[in-house]
Amino acid sequence: MSVVTRQFRMVYLLLEKGRMTAGELAEKLEVSPRTILRDVDALSAAGVPVYTTQGGGGGVALLPGHVLDRAAFTDEEQRQLLTALQSLPNQEGEQALTKLSALFRRGPEDWLQVNLSRWSAGPADNAKFRLLKQAVLERQTLSFGYAGSYGSTRARRVLPARLVFKGQGWYLQAFDLEREDYRTFRLSRILSPAFTGEVFHRRLEPPDIDFPGDIPPLFRVEVRLRFAPCMAYRVYDEFDQGCVARQDDGSLLVETVFPEDQWLYGYLLSFGAGVEVLSPDTLRKRLALLGQEIFRAHSEPDIPCQVPDAMMGLSKTKEVPTMENCKDMKFCQSCGMPLTPGVELGTEADGSPSADYCGYCYKDGKFAGEMTMEEMIDFCTPMMVQGNPGMTEEQAKAQMHQFFPMLKRWKK
């Protein structure tokens, strides 16, 4: 929110409420009380009759009978304010835009329009955005279904903190009441959001938005990709130019970081033969396995398409091997993945291979990220279900709850 927009909102609130404390204004406008007092001085200097009083009944107020004067804003400030309101995809923004356009005796410059609906879609996305915005501003607890990266849809109950536009989409940052931590949700994956009827008063301070969804740092991977020249339009659409280096042959080299999950494989496959994974080698091999599976499914249509279990190192049996009945098999003592030949091992502080952990969980003598056993089970559940057709999430979790406490990392 720009300074001009914030100061206008302050005047609008004072016109509506009559008098508010600096703390109340600070909470509404999401700034500090000190910033509010500076805005009061700036508005007063601009000719707006705003003043403060001390004591029990004190606060910030406007002189009685005051109406907003267009002279309080310069031409540039009027233009900025109308542009800001024009960018709000809701009815309230349109109403305020109409009122201020009449006050300033000028129409908004028609160079910007925000429409949240996807191509070939109805107005549902805009309606969802308005509902989520209302939940954030009114501090209402939300419930919704969320389509995760592995195809599962889970019920979520959250305290909404803020809406963020990043990359090519909108996200909701919220405090997840089940996980007792902040999570980021892509708006397009939020299904049937609804108010629970509960209002919360907890102060929310979500971290800066990072990867979409709730992928923990443990499963992020640094990748080097080479794109064919014909893919330039997508490369510049979807990657920061600082990550892109054009080669002498016209190809594009991209170095970036991704969450390594089912979404990543599907995303890379969407480029077809226009992309080559240069590193890491494990991702390159897994993408090749998926390509072979796609070819097999389409060349032999009677064979059901299943993601190769080798991609995730999971067993094809319906039961997860345990230490008792697979004494000769070694498992990662963090995620339970079988440490079969070819699986990348973790490394100790001196660079030597770890005897206990895989390369995803352990590197340079320490774990790749902080997480609880429950969070690890939640992350592994969709992969286990996908690798074992017919197994439910509840069955997968039940087996892992028996198996994981025996692993070195989770032993109490």
Side-chain angles (χ1 to χ4, degrees):
M1 184 190 305
S2 69
V3 174
V4 174
T5 304
R6 185 181 68 242
Q7 292 175 354
F8 169 75
R9 284 191 61 190
M10 181 190 298
V11 174
Y12 185 86
L13 286 168
L14 294 176
L15 285 170
E16 181 183 12
K17 305 291 186 182
R19 183 187 304 273
M20 298 178 71
T21 67
E24 291 171 336
L25 285 167
E27 184 175 357
K28 282 283 187 183
L29 301 176
E30 298 182 346
V31 294
S32 68
R34 181 175 296 180
T35 298
I36 295 297
L37 295 178
R38 285 200 298 266
D39 285 343
V40 168
D41 291 339
L43 287 168
S44 180
V48 179
V50 61
Y51 67 96
T52 61
T53 56
Q54 304 295 323
V60 183
L62 295 167
L63 288 178
H66 172 71
V67 294
L68 190 63
D69 187 349
R70 67 175 180 271
F73 300 92
T74 66
D75 284 347
E76 180 60 26
E77 289 171 339
Q78 291 177 21
R79 186 178 297 108
Q80 290 177 7
L81 188 53
L82 292 177
T83 298
L85 289 170
Q86 191 179 6
S87 69
L88 296 177
N90 55 47
Q91 186 176 0
E92 294 87 345
E94 293 175 2
Q95 293 173 349
L97 182 63
T98 300
K99 292 178 181 178
L100 284 181
S101 295
L103 173 69
F104 295 153
R105 297 178 184 174
R106 64 192 298 169
E109 298 175 7
D110 191 19
W111 67 275
L112 175 68
Q113 183 183 49
V114 176
N115 189 331
L116 297 178
S117 61
R118 286 161 282 191
W119 295 103
S120 304
D125 288 330
N126 285 320
K128 184 193 297 184
F129 185 92
R130 288 195 294 270
L131 184 147
L132 297 177
K133 173 197 167 189
Q134 180 182 350
V136 172
L137 295 178
E138 297 180 0
R139 295 179 171 270
Q140 294 204 46
T141 305
L142 279 176
S143 64
F144 53 80
Y146 190 70
S149 299
Y150 292 95
S152 61
T153 300
R154 297 189 57 180
R156 300 296 185 103
R157 187 165 162 269
V158 304
L159 308 181
R162 64 188 177 197
L163 292 163
V164 180
F165 184 84
K166 184 177 179 67
Q168 295 178 310
W170 281 94
Y171 299 86
L172 171 70
Q173 288 190 280
F175 187 84
D176 190 304
L177 292 171
E178 179 183 349
R179 290 166 173 76
E180 297 186 345
D181 199 1
Y182 289 101
R183 292 291 187 267
T184 300
F185 305 95
R186 190 178 179 104
L187 261 64
S188 56
R189 298 185 189 177
I190 294 177
L191 310 176
S192 304
F195 300 123
T196 66
E198 304 170 45
V199 177
F200 64 93
H201 302 284
R202 177 175 183 166
R203 183 177 178 84
L204 299 178
E205 297 180 347
D208 290 338
I209 191 170
D210 196 351
F211 285 108
D214 48 9
I215 304 299
L218 175 61
F219 294 94
R220 297 173 184 176
V221 60
E222 296 182 6
V223 300
R224 294 178 70 247
L225 309 169
R226 180 164 53 219
F227 292 91
C230 63
M231 288 291 158
Y233 73 101
R234 280 195 62 185
V235 170
Y236 288 114
D237 271 352
E238 301 173 30
F239 296 96
D240 185 278
Q241 290 192 31
C243 303
V244 182
R246 185 176 286 276
Q247 306 300 293
D248 293 338
D249 61 357
S251 64
L252 300 161
L253 183 66
V254 173
E255 297 185 9
T256 188
V257 178
F258 278 123
E260 186 174 11
D261 59 7
Q262 281 295 91
W263 170 85
L264 175 57
Y265 306 127
Y267 175 71
L268 293 176
L269 287 172
S270 72
F271 290 93
V275 65
E276 179 187 0
V277 177
L278 301 179
S279 67
D281 193 52
T282 51
L283 178 60
R284 181 183 176 95
K285 291 177 179 177
R286 288 170 184 171
L287 208 63
L289 285 172
L290 278 172
Q292 292 172 3
E293 189 72 7
I294 292 171
F295 173 79
R296 186 172 68 90
H298 287 79
S299 61
E300 302 176 62
D302 293 334
I303 299 177
C305 178
Q306 297 176 2
V307 176
D309 296 329
M311 187 181 75
M312 290 297 179
L314 294 172
S315 169
K316 285 186 178 292
T317 62
K318 296 281 181 158
E319 296 182 358
V320 176
T322 63
M323 293 179 178
E324 285 77 5
N325 56 26
C326 291
K327 293 181 180 179
D328 294 333
M329 183 179 290
K330 295 187 64 176
F331 301 88
C332 172
Q333 298 297 300
S334 172
C335 67
M337 181 173 69
L339 297 180
T340 55
V343 171
E344 182 180 355
L345 298 177
T347 56
E348 300 295 345
D350 60 2
S352 61
S354 170
D356 297 317
Y357 300 107
C358 71
Y360 297 107
C361 296
Y362 197 70
K363 186 176 182 180
D364 298 331
K366 56 185 178 181
F367 293 111
E370 291 296 328
M371 67 185 341
T372 65
M373 186 182 80
E374 290 296 329
E375 288 174 326
M376 178 67 80
I377 289 175
D378 282 345
F379 188 85
C380 293
T381 295
M383 293 183 285
M384 185 171 177
V385 170
Q386 189 164 13
N388 295 270
M391 178 179 286
T392 67
E393 287 193 3
E394 290 72 20
Q395 291 171 333
K397 284 189 174 183
Q399 292 190 14
M400 283 189 283
H401 272 108
Q402 293 179 343
F403 183 41
F404 273 44
M406 295 185 288
L407 300 177
K408 183 176 179 179
R409 184 177 182 183
W410 312 118
K411 279 184 178 180
K412 294 184 179 179

